[in-house]
Amino acid sequence: MVQALPVREKITTWVNICPLAAILPNTGVCALVAGQQVAIFRLGYGADIYAVSNYDPFSKAFVLSRGILGSRSGIPKVASPIYKQNFNLLTGQCFDDDTVSIPTFQVRVVEDKVQIVVSE
Amino acid sequence: MTAKKNLVVIGNGMIGHKFLELMIAKKATEHWNVITFCEEPRVAYDRVNLSSYFSGKTAADLSLVTPGLYQENGIQMHIGDKAVAINREEKTVSSANGLKVSYDKIVLATGSYPFVPPIKGNDTKGTFVYRTIEDLEAMSTYAKNCQVGVVVGGGLLGLEAAKALQNMGLITHVVEFAPRLMPVQIDDAGGNILRAKIEALGISVHTSKSTTEIVSKNGKVTKMLFTDGSELPTDIIVFSAGIRPRDEIARECGLEVGTRGGIIINDYCQTSDPNIYAIGECALYQNLIYGLVAPGYQMAGVVADIFNNITTSTFTGADMSSKLKLLGVDVASFGDAFAKTPGAKEIAMIDAVKGIYKKLVLNQDGSRLLGGILVGDASAYGTLMQFVQNAIALPPHPEDLLMPPREGKSATTAMGVNSLPDTAQICSCNNVSKGQICAAIRENNLTDVPSIKKCTKASTGCAGCVPLVTDLLKAELKKAGIVVKNRLCEHFSYSRQELYHLVRTHNIHTFDELIQKYGLGLGCEICKPTVASILASTWNEHILNQAHVALQDSNDYFLANIQRDGTYSIVPRVPGGELTPERLIVLGEVAKDFGLYTKITGGQRIDLFGARVEQLPHIWKRLIDAGFESGHAYGKALRTIKSCVGSTWCRFGVQDSTSLAIELELRYRGLRAPHKLKSAVSGCTRECAEAQSKDFGVIATEKGWNLYVCGNGGMKPQHAVLLAADIDKETLIEYLDRFLMFYIRTADRLERTATWFNKLEGGLDYLKQVIIEDSLGICAELEAQMAYHISTYQCEWKATIEDPEKLQRFQHFVNSDRPDPSIVYVEERGQKRPAKEHEKFLFTASKS
Ligand code: SRM
Ligand SMILES: Cc1cc2nc3c(=O)[nH]c(=O)nc-3n(C[C@H](O)[C@H](O)[C@H](O)COP(=O)(O)OP(=O)(O)OC[C@H]3O[C@@H](n4cnc5c(N)ncnc54)[C@H](O)[C@@H]3O)c2cc1C
Ligand code: SF4
Ligand code: FES
């Protein structure tokens, strides 16, 4: 049967995930946020942070946080570590297949703490 | 703004879905209210690959519809609801579930149904057809208690069904009415080769047989009787004797249908009612039903264009040429395969040993190709189709086209893409011409195949046209005066070799420094691992150091091989394949304690699978304590040096191959290279270690050792070449040091030694000059580089375990100690294995 679309709800709470230093520059980590696996990436050495779902729709494994970060024409992206499809970190859109995109999450750094929005 | 009009699409099979997809892509859904009736209990799936349902694919895997696609685009989908009547006066469609919708236009995409011949007993319990997932499910449930199965019909679908029966463990027969298999596509000679191949797979083939009756006992099928008086006992029968268009709804509302069925359409795919269109297998165009997807896709494209007010597209018939893989056997039939054109001549080749049949049909003067048949090897299909479709003049000896391509040169390159006209269809899956591809390249300044795919859709189907598209791209860039520079990626306008020299000569130790000085942007999954490998080959620093960790490919990132479910495998080094009983026991104990799947690898060592990231350091602590070290199975690095037992035990051995293999493996362990490096040492010419298939291989002789280089197993096996004969061990090591470093310096990214060698100008003679005669005067430098590598070697895992900072990353969640809950295992043959998607579902369902 056809799956229902994930319902994105209004902003609710920001929750603390980890200190910024827990994410090495130019790498990602996976966080457990309200039962969901979220991949959080730190681009460069500062607080340039992105969050997308950790689920790789191509391999069906929860691994995107382990992908290599980079850019395509200036757009930040991550490559799946399994079959190397690339995803736009701003929108979740897959670069290699227009019909695929992954959920993104709101994320910020406050006082060196990485925070994510949890919808209820 | 005018109100949206109603478009009702009946049928959501492969073609119905393609049509909706095109409507969405062209944004026509903004102007039309699209309502679809889908009789089956699920949206469109890949019927062509239906059989893969038996090899573990799930309904979800086969689905063609991205979840959410229809809803997001406002398409009303009525799943499991059949459209039962069209009222052309009221302009309404009513459905089995009692819905009634009014329409402005209708598109019929109702497909076809399997034809069941009118044989007595054809509805007995135990008879099946093969078209939907439900058919397959019913068939496989019933077949559980069966031993013998018969497929009626030896065409394309019949052979697919036979494969399914055989996969379910049944003794399988195929019964065909015609004197040969696949009578529509291939001739007698091709049919014989195909038959031999299929019989070799254990399937019995009976041709020229016509069934008179199906006999049952207790209401179940027991045997079949034939007109020639013979009979065949069976428990299950699958009918696959052709298809019939599903035109019932069209018939009942008075649309014109063909005498043998099928909804008659014109060049616009319009039926006799201009408001109703028909596409796919239900449509009859010039007395033909096209039982293939490609023509259906073309029809879908024509109608989608019409709904976008593009009136220039028409359907003018489609080519029935096809290339298939049936039971693992290639079969292709194209153009005038049966030489029906007056004056046509044939050239054929039969190789009964390899099971290959190839036939070309030429025009009267032998200058043009009209069609052909290929069985057993259809690799030339793409090229031959180009000759037919574009009426290209044949080379002077057309029979050469039947021979396998010579090393490195495919028939296509011999022909040259430049000689193709602009109208040449390059991608037959998506009907994209050479002209379209070249225009897209020029107008959008495309420089790689992925962008061409996105822009033109070419190569997004079976991918068979990728080599042609690549050739076109190269030719087009060359024409534009763009030097086809071996540019690594968008971040570096240098080749790997150039970057290697920049790193060495400018003493660069980090990626950041390199990209700041010589690159652009942030890097990507191509340049980061390439530079990481160059840095490791050159400076040999730990790859998980802060400066390098973010560059590493998935495997190097956790010093283990990532598996399909996101867990990892562990392969400790077993130099030369020699392993003490104590260590063997440790491996067993560790596997047991951590619940790992164990397997002997093809590289003479042991692989432990299914470790989660957070377990890796604990497992390695145990292994290192027992004296193991990293085997670099995860790296583009030296892998294994296999050995045979050699003169120590073997009665034929002339040298101690095991000791040499161990010595070499310990010498070169940890060496990172453009691609992985494999090796072997054999104790005599019987070559039990298979050294001649390795990047470097050594074979013992009475007088010393023979050194072979640049062999390959794997994807394209190639024999190694003899670099030096009867040399002593010291000379051998000297040559090897030089050879390996020379390869590391000059090879391209992900280029194995064999491919590198094939491109090396001057070939073996040149290689000998450089390595043995030192013609470039670099041998001392190469040896020094190797000495540096050997002196700086460290076990990557030992260093990691001793460094708390590096260990910090070995955790699945940054904010929780829980393991990844998505990893699920089931048991098979006494060990665990990753659960398949449907098993995961069962598992979670039964748990909750
Ligand atoms: C484990 C093993 C299969 C097994 O169960 O036996 C294996 C497993 C993989 N092989 Fe292999 N190969 C294994 C022996 C081989 C051999 C046999 C040998 O080494 O003697 C070959 C042919 C020899 C050769 O390389 O020339 C082989 C030719 C390949 C190739 C084709 C390489 C080529 O250039 O043609 C690939 C693909 C690639 O590297 O691009 C590949 C790639 C892979 C990958 C890395 C695929 C992947 O990306 O996941 C697999 C990693 C699985 C893992 O997690 O360990 N594997 N693979 C074997 C490990 C040997 C070891 O102890 O290290
Ligand atoms: C096992 C197998 C292997 C094949 N292999 C190949 C191959 O290798 N190459 C190739 O080119 N082709 C192959 N084909 C053929 C290919 O699958 C068909 O050409 C293609 O599916 C036709 O698409 P369609 O949409 O016209 O029909 P279908 O895919 O049959 O879809 C029609 C749909 O409409 C529904 N429908 C019918 N009437 C109504 C109604 N009144 N209301 C609502 N819904 C209705 C049906 O239930 C069905 O779901 C294969 C087919 C099979 C069965
Ligand atoms: S042959 Fe293919 S499937 Fe088997 S291990 Fe090698 S890469 Fe994996
Ligand atoms: S021919 Fe199949 S994708 Fe192009």
Side-chain angles (χ1 to χ4, degrees), chain A residues 2 30 37 45 69 73 77, chain B residues 490 512 525 528 814 820:
Chain A
V2 180
C30 170
Q37 297 202 24
Y45 295 83
L69 290 173
S73 315
K77 66 170 183 83
Chain B
E490 71 169 65
D512 287 350
E525 77 284 4
K528 283 182 170 180
V814 70
D820 177 357

Side-chain angles (χ1 to χ4, degrees), chain B residues 426-430 457-466 469:
Chain B
I426 302 294
C427 176
S428 46
C429 289
N430 298 292
K457 290 264 173 215
S459 303
T460 56
C462 70
C465 58
V466 173
V469 172

